[in-house]
Amino acid sequence: VHKPPWWGVLNVVTILSRSHGDRNVYPSAGVLFVHVLEREYFKGEFPPYPKAGDASNDPITFNTNLKGYPDRPGWLRYIQRSSHSDGVLYGSPTAEHVGKPTVIEITAYNRRTFETARHNLVINIMSTEEFPLPYQAEFYIKNMNVEEMLASEVLGDFLGAVKNVWQPERLNAINITSALDRGGRVPLPINDMKEGVYVMVGADVQFSSCLREVETPQNQLRCSQEMEPLISCDKKFRAQFHIDWCKISLVDITKVVPVYRERLVPGTGVLPDVGEYNPPSEMLRSRDYFTDFLVTLAVPSAVALVLFTILGYSMCCRREGVVSSPFSIQLVHHSSIQKSTKELRGMSKNREISWPLSTLPVFHPVSGEVVPPLHPDNYETTSMPLMQTQTNLQNQVQIPQQQPSGTYVFFFL
């Protein structure tokens, strides 16, 4: 792992290791542990490409679990963004795991050949008197993902900026947590947005005045209004890390009151001896349940029957003249209009009017015979057109009219 020149000066004890087969690692309790699973190493476990000289870029994914169990220990996390990136195991062991070797099974899957390779990682957690450090600060970095922050160069740059602001003698990273594990939302894939990451660091001296500026009433008011607080040392982080100062957490573990819980002592699993079991006597009094039957079933059934009868009588026998709705009023109006229409039509058939000339009998000018009218007597005059159309002219009869000179002139109607 490449280390910057000032790595030894900062006294950073974060443990970084590479996966090169079955191996033992010795992290310390209360210190961030990072183990990188390199794809390049596991490529040697799988057969090469069929053609010599072809670039091998097999998609490889990893599965990690505690040996004999389906998942990892609670303090250990794993992340791999894609099958073409390295996997990372990270976490912060606690003092409860000291002296207990933890065997992690690492299984690599080649997605091209569907072959697997398995290695074991033995984690031996060590105790130290220097940890945990008494003063701990947790920062929320908005422009980083957890795998980016776990890189040794990026983590070293952040610890260097914190050391420049805090000025401690000893400083170390305690834990790193993705914002998604704290209930954050997955960011939209626009403008290179990041998930965000929480980084907890510990030191051996009191918090600096710059770190405590967020506790002032003015900055607390700005945070309540969702505004960025005014922090004098923010410019030392701004070049690479965008810190949300409203979410910073400062904890002095020397002032934290420990909570002691009584540990439950498991028993033997045998009930205490309270004597022999005495069953109830066989001479039990008989009980008549007929009254209970009447109260629970007969009475509610009778009430329901009465209500059903009243409802049926109201709906089926008392409808006419009782219920009036807009629809029934419309039916009455429609019936009256229809009745009036029939009455007017009957009156129009029976009215006495003068028949048109075309309907009166006429005499033929030559034979003297009576020509019948165009329409029978029983023709409905109300439907007879007032003016004849051209299509009816061919069926018209010539009607003679007498002129003063004694000659006849025929007009076609």
Side-chain angles (χ1 to χ4, degrees), residues 37-279:
L37 307 179
E38 291 182 334
R39 294 174 60 254
E40 294 296 332
Y41 171 77
F42 284 92
K43 285 181 181 180
E45 301 289 333
F46 304 114
Y49 270 54
K51 295 182 181 180
D54 290 347
S56 177
N57 192 23
D58 291 345
I60 299 176
T61 57
F62 300 95
N63 181 42
T64 59
N65 62 280
L66 183 63
K67 188 174 182 179
Y69 295 89
D71 204 354
R72 298 174 300 275
W75 62 271
L76 189 63
R77 298 186 181 94
Y78 169 74
I79 186 171
Q80 183 184 15
R81 286 293 175 179
S82 67
S83 58
H84 294 282
S85 61
D86 295 336
V88 182
L89 283 169
Y90 67 100
S92 180
T94 61
E96 299 176 357
H97 305 94
V98 173
K100 301 176 182 179
T102 303
V103 181
I104 303 297
E105 292 182 342
I106 303 173
T107 306
Y109 295 90
N110 190 321
R111 298 301 178 179
R112 179 180 64 88
T113 62
F114 299 99
E115 295 186 357
T116 62
R118 178 170 295 178
H119 296 273
N120 292 334
L121 176 68
V122 182
I123 304 176
N124 302 280
I125 302 173
M126 309 298 294
S127 62
T128 176
E129 298 179 356
E130 298 180 354
F131 304 107
L133 295 174
Y135 304 99
Q136 300 177 0
E138 186 178 58
F139 300 85
Y140 175 61
I141 305 175
K142 299 183 290 184
N143 64 327
M144 286 287 176
N145 289 334
V146 62
E147 71 276 7
E148 298 173 347
M149 198 66 199
L150 289 173
S152 59
E153 296 82 2
V154 179
L155 183 59
D157 293 342
F158 178 75
L159 293 177
V162 174
K163 184 177 179 63
N164 191 14
V165 172
W166 202 339
Q167 298 295 330
E169 295 182 3
R170 295 193 308 270
L171 178 72
N172 71 287
I174 298 177
N175 198 6
I176 292 180
T177 308
S178 173
L180 301 182
D181 297 333
R182 299 283 188 89
R185 294 183 177 181
V186 178
L188 296 175
I190 56 176
N191 299 330
D192 195 23
M193 298 182 64
K194 304 294 184 178
E195 298 173 356
V197 61
Y198 290 89
V199 181
M200 178 177 288
V201 298
D204 57 346
V205 297
Q206 288 278 356
F207 303 111
S208 63
S209 58
C210 173
L211 297 179
R212 290 192 175 277
E213 288 179 2
V214 72
E215 298 177 350
T216 61
Q218 295 80 4
N219 286 330
Q220 290 294 323
L221 178 61
R222 294 178 66 89
C223 288
S224 63
Q225 298 175 352
E226 298 184 357
M227 300 173 60
E228 292 187 2
L230 301 178
I231 307 298
S232 59
C233 56
D234 180 61
K235 58 183 178 180
K236 297 182 180 180
F237 297 90
R238 181 65 61 175
Q240 188 176 0
F241 306 99
H242 296 173
I243 297 178
D244 188 347
W245 292 99
C246 291
K247 294 184 178 181
I248 189 174
S249 175
L250 305 177
V251 178
D252 184 359
I253 63 176
T254 60
K255 298 181 181 180
V256 176
V257 179
V259 178
Y260 297 98
R261 297 181 180 179
E262 295 183 1
R263 187 175 180 180
L264 298 178
V265 179
T268 59
V270 180
L271 295 177
D273 186 10
V274 293
E276 297 182 355
Y277 173 70
N278 296 321

Side-chain angles (χ1 to χ4, degrees), residues 59 89 178 180 194 252 283 292 348 371 378 388 391 403 406:
L89 283 169
S178 173
L180 301 182
K194 304 294 184 178
D252 184 359
M283 303 299 295
D292 298 339
S348 64
V371 180
N378 58 353
Q388 299 292 335
T391 58
Q403 300 294 332

